[in-house]
Amino acid sequence: MGSDEKAAAGPLEGTLVIDFTRVLSGPYATMLLGDLGATIVKIEVPKGGDTTRHSAPFKNGQSHYFLAINRNKKSLALDLSTPGGREVLLALCHKADVLIENFRPGTMERLGIGFGVLHEANADLVVCS
């Protein structure tokens, strides 16, 4: 591609996805959405981040698995046990189109961000579990 050519936009360009996924199926799904042009914001815990950041094999100190399954994503560390962390998340939800999570049942409610709270922040938000 020449320097004057612009890469073709994916069909999901302009779509904002909040990614609360862990392990394989969820991160793979959001990776595919990113491949299609969506902006993916992966929410991670402040200390240590996603657990797969620590999964072998490693190259140059980084997990191959984490890098492969989380391509096309931005990362945001939030402490959802604090009011400030939840406030930042809800502000992000206000702008988002989709939120995807694959926690155990009840985890989102325990974190104070169950469907009712998310729907209040953005009634048009598509929440996938």
Side-chain angles (χ1 to χ4, degrees), residues 4-117:
D4 293 337
E5 293 179 50
K6 190 175 182 179
L12 295 180
E13 183 178 15
T15 302
L16 176 59
V17 177
I18 300 172
D19 180 358
F20 269 108
T21 63
R22 305 289 182 268
V23 192
L24 181 60
S25 61
Y28 184 76
T30 55
M31 177 195 73
L32 292 176
L33 296 174
D35 288 350
L36 293 169
T39 297
I40 311 297
V41 178
K42 181 173 183 66
I43 307 298
E44 299 188 62
V45 296
K47 293 182 181 177
D50 187 306
T51 55
T52 60
R53 285 184 180 273
H54 314 287
S55 299
F58 296 96
K59 182 169 183 172
N60 299 327
Q62 295 189 335
S63 166
H64 277 236
Y65 171 79
F66 178 83
L67 293 175
I69 205 76
N70 289 293
R71 68 174 184 248
N72 297 322
K73 299 180 186 181
K74 298 175 183 192
S75 180
L76 177 62
L78 288 178
D79 184 350
L80 296 174
S81 69
T82 67
R86 286 188 300 277
E87 184 179 319
V88 169
L89 174 66
L90 293 177
L92 186 59
C93 285
H94 186 70
K95 300 174 183 179
D97 301 293
V98 179
L99 182 144
I100 301 178
E101 61 90 7
N102 65 343
F103 292 120
R104 292 181 185 143
T107 298
M108 295 289 281
E109 288 78 10
R110 184 179 50 77
L111 291 170
I113 53 171
F115 180 79
V117 173

